[in-house]
Amino acid sequence: MQYQSTRNSSVRVSSAQAISQGISQDKGLFVPTSIPVLTAEDIQDMCGMDYIARAKKVLGAYLTDFSDEELGACVQGAYQGKFEEDKVAPLSKVGENTYFLELWHGPTCAFKDVALQLLPYLLTTSAKKVVDGKKIVILVATSGDTGKAALEGFKDVENTSILVFYPEDGVSPMQKLQMTTQAGENVAVCAIEGNFDDAQNGVKAIFTDPVMAAKLEKHGMMFSSANSINWGRLVPQIVYYISAYCDLIADGEIKAGEPINVVVPTGNFGNILAAYYAREMGIPIAKLICASNQNNVLTDFIRTGTYDKNRVFHTSISPSMDILISSNLERLLYHLCGKDDKTLTSWMQALTEEGKYAIDPQMRAELQKVFWGGYCDDTATKNTIHEVFQKYSYLCDTHTAVAVNVYEQYVKETGDATKTVIASTASPFKFSSSVLDAIAPEKVDKNDFVTAERLSQVSGYAIPKALKELKDKQPRFDTCCTRENMEQIVLEMLHIQ
Ligand SMILES: *Cc1c(COP(=O)(O)O)cnc(C)c1O
């Protein structure tokens, strides 16, 4: 299996190369040249496997330059004993036809763990093959969740170092504490004076600085990225949609071959794109429902065929979906336009220059055959959390609630009664104050830990261990730097000059 660039179809690299490199030199994203297909028999076989075995099977279809042994070591290292009760992606049935796919039982209580626990193994295994076992140095600029999930994933992984920069005043106190208390010998965390863009621009500048690259090279090191455009972050996400389908069969909820719908609360379009790949591989997914918050650029795109980011940016109670440029959409468009790299490049150029592009009506029709888009605002999100809790005693977080709300809109409009899997992307305790505000507003406290305790009392759900333990942890990192001395911080962390 080879990978090609969305902006130049003739580029061909191995999966190890695609993962080490992250992004193609032409700024395109790597996609598989063909999508592997699972037969009905394959799916039947996978019903009898545990998550780790299913993951190995799916990864094996995409990462054909990894040996069986290597794949086994990667998935075992990532998932064995790392998720609460060893459940990586359990389903929770709520109501007649809907199932929550709970992706937040990992160390940071959000779905990004599923990919970021595995990525370090994929990256180090890839590096051994194509860049001669160099030490991988991961730099992350984060507005909150990605930084912590990446730290947990790379913590003490051999032959890697990770350094996370976060905006001093741009993350919640809980998120800050999650990062500054991070354990591990190969990790560092640093605040930067400024906002997320300053952190992001600083990291990009270091990535592309030839002087820095030469300094690292001299010591047998190289930079890499844990960003969601890396194929190594996408492929682990395909697994859980296939696994969910197998679980539904194994539990007798559906018959083999029966179609299901999938709803995904969407930001950068990575998670829903993984569901699209699962569909292309042969999982009978009828509709993919793309749920957005007030930042509804994707809803408009799916309905009109015009992508237009020239609009007000809203900060919402589902912050991980506050995004106006969904990078991974590029991969979907590439597949839908018949791999027409020229046209795709012109759209992406228009997006950079004018903030806008439009696909033709025929392609829009293709898009709408598979995707349905909808959105809701913060008030609707809170009402949904309240209703779901009242009706089913099930507690969902703000992102998941957006998905539930949009799914209800979809059912109302279409009357579609197909069994449906809703991706549940974060533990409700990660967003305790918004969630408690939805079900018992008078109980919300200024202190997040107090609020989490009260949410636990009101709901009867336990606070995840990882969040609870945070209260008693001591911060290890208190450095704050300016944009100008970020490079110095990187060199100091690596003990090089
Ligand atoms: C990152 C994130 C999302 C959005 O996922 P994408 O893959 O970027 O579309 C949704 N919910 C939560 C909790 C997240 O952390």
Side-chain angles (χ1 to χ4, degrees):
M1 161 97 49
Q2 296 268 290
Y3 289 77
Q4 60 193 150
S5 163
T6 51
R7 304 212 189 165
N8 180 356
S9 298
S10 64
V11 169
R12 287 286 189 286
V13 299
S14 66
S15 67
Q17 184 75 42
I19 292 169
S20 316
Q21 214 176 305
I23 186 164
S24 181
Q25 256 140 19
D26 46 45
K27 299 205 177 103
L29 307 187
F30 288 118
V31 299
T33 47
S34 64
I35 298 172
V37 171
L38 297 169
T39 63
E41 224 174 24
D42 288 332
I43 295 172
Q44 201 58 51
D45 281 350
M46 286 173 81
C47 288
M49 299 178 185
D50 64 6
Y51 193 87
I52 286 181
R54 289 173 184 167
K56 196 175 159 199
K57 164 119 184 146
V58 176
L59 290 174
Y62 283 100
L63 313 180
T64 49
D65 49 339
F66 283 50
S67 72
D68 235 34
E69 263 182 351
E70 286 170 336
L71 286 171
C74 287
V75 291
Q76 295 255 338
Y79 298 137
Q80 197 96 64
K82 300 284 183 61
F83 285 65
E84 270 183 294
E85 295 171 45
D86 264 344
K87 288 182 180 157
V88 182
L91 283 171
S92 218
K93 184 171 183 177
V94 171
E96 215 20 60
N97 287 327
T98 52
Y99 306 81
F100 285 101
L101 176 58
E102 295 178 351
L103 302 170
W104 40 264
H105 294 283
T108 79
C109 309
F111 93 95
K112 290 186 176 69
D113 285 330
V114 183
L116 278 164
Q117 283 293 309
L118 183 53
L119 179 68
Y121 294 94
L122 299 180
L123 204 48
T124 47
T125 310
S126 298
K128 263 187 211 138
K129 294 176 188 295
V130 294
V131 289
D132 224 10
K134 273 192 194 138
K135 178 171 178 167
I136 304 273
V137 179
I138 300 287
L139 296 185
V140 181
T142 186
S143 57
D145 285 346
T146 305
K148 176 62 182 178
L151 284 163
E152 274 298 322
F154 282 91
K155 163 185 85 181
D156 293 329
V157 174
E158 222 179 297
N159 231 8
T160 71
S161 284
I162 175 164
L163 178 53
V164 171
F165 290 100
Y166 68 91
E168 196 183 13
D169 302 313
V171 301
S172 76
M174 190 77 116
Q175 287 174 321
K176 182 171 173 174
L177 200 57
Q178 269 192 312
M179 289 190 279
T180 56
T181 58
Q182 178 65 44
E185 289 306 310
N186 63 336
V187 306
V189 174
C190 182
I192 122 153
E193 289 174 14
N195 58 24
F196 173 65
D197 283 334
D198 296 315
Q200 170 112 313
N201 290 337
V203 163
K204 274 194 189 151
I206 297 173
F207 262 132
T208 49
D209 178 1
V211 179
M212 284 295 277
K215 283 183 184 173
L216 263 70
E217 171 86 39
K218 209 170 86 190
H219 293 88
M221 304 176 184
M222 68 177 275
F223 285 126
S224 190
S225 148
N227 206 285
S228 78
I229 51 175
N230 193 317
W231 178 254
R233 259 191 75 175
L234 206 52
V235 69
Q237 301 186 337
I238 302 172
V239 177
Y240 49 70
Y241 290 108
I242 298 172
S243 177
Y245 190 76
C246 293
D247 281 344
L248 288 173
I249 297 174
D251 297 347
E253 297 289 337
I254 57 169
K255 289 195 281 294
E258 186 176 330
I260 59 165
N261 292 329
V262 172
V263 192
V264 186
T266 298
N268 212 16
F269 210 78
N271 202 3
I272 195 166
L273 182 71
Y276 173 79
Y277 279 115
R279 183 180 189 274
E280 292 299 295
M281 289 177 78
I283 299 298
I285 296 173
K287 266 285 188 288
L288 283 165
I289 297 160
C290 176
S292 304
N293 62 26
Q294 302 96 297
N295 298 293
N296 57 355
V297 62
L298 286 166
T299 310
D300 289 346
F301 176 65
I302 293 168
R303 293 185 179 175
T304 67
T306 297
Y307 195 100
D308 187 355
K309 77 162 183 83
N310 303 307
R311 59 180 74 207
V312 178
F313 176 85
H314 298 281
T315 40
S316 76
I317 57 169
S318 43
S320 301
M321 295 155 69
D322 292 345
I323 203 162
L324 290 179
I325 298 189
S326 298
S327 327
N328 269 301
L329 185 62
E330 178 167 346
R331 284 188 166 107
L332 174 70
L333 296 180
Y334 183 71
H335 291 298
L336 287 182
C337 74
K339 302 190 172 181
D340 178 354
D341 53 357
K342 300 280 175 305
T343 305
L344 187 92
T345 305
S346 72
W347 289 332
M348 293 304 126
Q349 230 155 18
L351 182 61
T352 309
E353 285 158 18
E354 296 138 48
K356 185 174 169 170
Y357 63 87
I359 58 175
D360 60 50
Q362 197 190 339
M363 191 167 143
R364 188 184 70 207
E366 289 298 312
L367 178 73
Q368 290 174 346
K369 262 189 215 160
V370 185
F371 289 87
W372 194 90
Y375 76 100
C376 73
D377 65 12
D378 283 354
T379 308
T381 305
K382 282 192 184 170
N383 288 341
T384 301
I385 294 173
H386 185 87
E387 279 164 25
V388 171
F389 185 67
Q390 288 299 314
K391 217 162 154 186
Y392 305 108
S393 303
Y394 187 82
L395 198 60
C396 56
D397 96 292
T398 49
H399 303 76
T400 309
V402 169
V404 174
N405 185 289
V406 169
Y407 172 59
E408 286 167 353
Q409 295 178 40
Y410 168 79
V411 171
K412 210 167 172 186
E413 190 176 304
T414 61
D416 187 353
T418 306
K419 299 236 164 77
T420 295
V421 168
I422 299 175
S424 175
T425 50
S427 157
F429 288 95
K430 222 173 167 172
F431 301 93
S432 289
S433 107
S434 298
V435 173
L436 189 58
D437 192 32
I439 62 171
E442 71 286 355
K443 294 211 159 71
V444 177
D445 191 83
K446 280 198 300 289
N447 180 311
D448 274 355
F449 290 108
V450 174
T451 300
E453 281 296 343
R454 289 187 184 159
L455 179 59
S456 174
Q457 283 158 10
V458 171
S459 68
Y461 280 74
I463 305 175
K465 221 169 107 231
L467 292 180
K468 202 173 171 146
E469 284 173 356
L470 212 51
K471 204 167 105 188
D472 306 314
K473 283 195 177 157
Q474 288 308 313
R476 295 175 65 203
F477 305 100
D478 58 2
T479 320
C480 183
C481 71
T482 61
R483 164 75 187 76
E484 284 64 46
N485 52 25
M486 282 170 79
E487 295 198 347
Q488 198 47 45
I489 298 283
V490 174
L491 296 174
E492 276 168 25
M493 188 231 171
L494 299 172
H495 306 292
I496 63 177
Q497 272 313 306

